[in-house]
Structure formats: structure tokens, C-alpha cells
Amino acid sequence: MQIETEGIVVKTVKYGEADTILTIVSQKLGKITVFTKASKRVKSPLMSASQIFAYSNFVLTHQSGSYRLQRVELIKNYYKISTDLDKFFYASYFMELSEKLMIEHQTNIKLFNLLKDTLDILLELDTQKLELMRIIYELKILECSGFKPEVLKCANCGIIQLERSRYFSIIEGGIICKDCSSKVKPLMEFDKTTIRFVEYVYSNDMSLAVNAKVSKIILAELKRLLYHYIEEYLGTLNLKSINFIDNY
């Protein structure tokens, strides 16, 4: 039986002389591993769509517990991203994080669309906006994974914020009101604009959020918040690509 799905190639591993094993973040099947026969040969009809950054419509067969690529139609190639080293590092991080969080054979259309939309924006994005893009992506992927931080009400007592709080509890998963701030420990303290920006990201599309003007101070606070939040809720992911971003 043949299965058809759109997907983005996030990893490729050479197998033998001309074969390739692809890791694909797919629309219908979640994360899948696909074997491609002779895709490294120059005249292979599978070659262009079997490269990293390729977004394609894949026709697969499933046998003996594995997928094999039968036909493929390239929809869009994000290869241009790799010509800019900064964008390449960030794109690699976005894809690696998506691949880590996407569960095999379990549909997550929100996560798939997030990755696709991110790569679309990244193609034309000013490199000065890359760190902001990273923060927005991390916030959005937390939402797709079911770990969205609470910024509209107190994460401890549930009271709707009449006045914006500057206190945040990683353990409680959100902002803490003034009354609860003496009861909940430990707390992180942020500028109120930082919390407001998180709310803004969750209220708007990524294409709009990435055009926001955010100071370096707020970016640093957001980065600190997300580092601890991701570590708490997603665990230690050991992503190779994050080292390139942080140390480049």
C-alpha cells in the first residue's frame, strides 16, 4: 500500500554507494525514517528531493516496519538558506529541535506547519533578526508540544492579572501574582515588557511577531527565561546545533 504525505527532510545519512536514509518531519505521519534507493546518483529522479532542506510530496511504501521512497515531487527547496552561514546554523537548530520533539508515526500538524513557516520566513529574514526568530520559535514550539508558559493569569492561584506581574516561576510554569510571590519559590524576576512580549508572540503569527522591535535587554531576559523553561519541561536535549549558535 502506498502512502502520500508532505514532508521536510531534516537529516540525511549516506547508506552504501548511492542510497540514502532520510529523516523527515512529515505532515501526516509525524517523524519518519525513509530509505531511498540510488538517490545519490546524478540522474536519479529522487535526488533533488532527498537533500536536507527539501520540502516535498513523498509517495512511500511501508513494509517490514520501514518506509521506502517510491516517488517524490519537490514543492520547495530551502537550500538557499545554506549559502548564509548564520541562517544555516539557525535553520539547523530549528530542524534539529523539531526532529527531537516530533514523535515517530504520530501526527503533529502544528509542529510541521511551524517548521515550514519558519523556513519560509528565514529565507528572506534580515540576519539581525535571527536571535529574535529563535526566541519566537522556541515559544511557539513549546505551545505545539503542550508546554506553553502561562502569561495571562497567575500560575499558582489562577487569578486573572489585573496588573502585569514581573514574577515568573519555572516550576509552576508561568507568571506569579504579587500575593503569591511570597509563597512560591524560587522566582525569576523580569521586566514587565518581557512578559508582555511572550503574550504578544502567542497572540500573533510568527511573520508578524518577528517584525517587532525588541531591545537587547529584553532579548537577553527572554533567552534566560527560555533556557531554564526548556530545560525544565523538555529536558536536556543535547542538540549539536545549539553549540554552533551560541559559540559562533
Side-chain angles (χ1 to χ4, degrees):
M1 182 180 74
Q2 291 190 335
I3 306 164
E4 190 171 339
T5 183
E6 292 181 9
I8 299 169
V9 178
V10 297
K11 187 190 296 182
T12 66
V13 177
K14 186 177 179 182
Y15 186 78
E17 280 293 313
D19 303 336
T20 312
I21 298 173
L22 310 177
T23 301
I24 298 172
V25 170
S26 74
Q27 185 183 51
K28 294 180 181 179
L29 304 169
K31 180 174 69 176
I32 52 174
T33 301
V34 177
F35 177 79
T36 64
K37 183 73 174 175
S39 58
K40 287 290 185 181
R41 291 177 182 168
V42 177
K43 295 184 179 180
S44 171
L46 307 179
M47 185 177 185
S48 63
S50 298
Q51 308 293 324
I52 196 167
F53 294 126
Y55 167 40
S56 308
N57 190 57
F58 297 91
V59 179
L60 313 166
T61 56
H62 189 251
Q63 50 189 243
S64 302
S66 62
Y67 290 98
R68 288 177 173 265
L69 183 61
Q70 301 301 317
R71 300 190 309 278
V72 63
E73 181 182 353
L74 184 67
I75 298 172
K76 190 170 187 176
N77 198 330
Y78 296 104
Y79 184 77
K80 181 183 173 184
I81 290 172
S82 65
T83 63
D84 184 308
L85 195 57
D86 291 322
K87 288 186 177 183
F88 174 77
F89 287 155
Y90 277 85
S92 298
Y93 170 63
F94 299 147
M95 292 197 299
E96 189 178 10
L97 184 56
S98 296
E99 187 260 329
K100 283 278 187 181
L101 298 183
M102 180 80 82
I103 299 171
E104 286 193 81
H105 314 305
Q106 183 171 313
T107 303
N108 190 332
I109 294 176
K110 286 184 179 180
L111 201 155
F112 169 78
N113 286 336
L114 175 64
L115 179 59
K116 179 169 67 69
D117 292 346
T118 300
L119 294 176
D120 279 333
I121 294 169
L122 196 58
L123 275 173
E124 307 300 330
L125 189 69
D126 186 327
T127 53
Q128 298 298 315
K129 291 277 189 176
L130 286 172
E131 193 60 21
L132 175 60
M133 185 73 175
R134 169 187 171 178
I135 286 164
I136 295 169
Y137 186 79
E138 288 175 348
L139 286 169
K140 294 285 190 183
I141 207 168
L142 283 166
E143 182 179 27
C144 292
S145 304
F147 298 106
K148 177 182 175 182
E150 179 57 72
V151 291
L152 296 178
K153 61 185 179 182
C154 177
N156 186 57
C157 70
I159 188 172
I160 297 173
Q161 297 298 294
L162 301 178
E163 182 182 348
R164 294 186 185 276
S165 174
R166 60 192 306 124
Y167 302 110
F168 193 97
S169 168
I170 297 295
I171 294 173
E172 295 294 333
I175 56 173
I176 300 298
C177 69
K178 187 176 180 180
D179 289 341
C180 291
S181 63
S182 61
K183 309 169 192 173
V184 178
K185 302 294 179 184
L187 288 176
M188 300 177 77
E189 191 171 346
F190 297 102
D191 189 292
K192 292 181 181 180
T193 306
T194 300
I195 304 300
R196 192 179 300 123
F197 181 74
V198 175
E199 182 181 339
Y200 177 78
V201 168
Y202 285 130
S203 301
N204 293 279
D205 290 336
M206 181 181 288
S207 57
L208 185 61
V210 79
N211 288 314
K213 292 182 179 180
V214 183
S215 71
K216 290 183 178 179
I217 294 172
I218 300 303
L219 281 176
E221 286 201 347
L222 288 162
K223 188 174 179 180
R224 180 165 63 96
L225 167 62
L226 284 163
Y227 174 82
H228 292 290
Y229 195 91
I230 288 172
E231 187 176 51
E232 176 70 24
Y233 291 96
L234 302 182
T236 304
L237 298 173
N238 294 319
L239 303 179
K240 294 179 181 179
S241 53
I242 196 68
N243 294 324
F244 289 112
I245 293 174
D246 291 339
N247 298 320
Y248 177 63

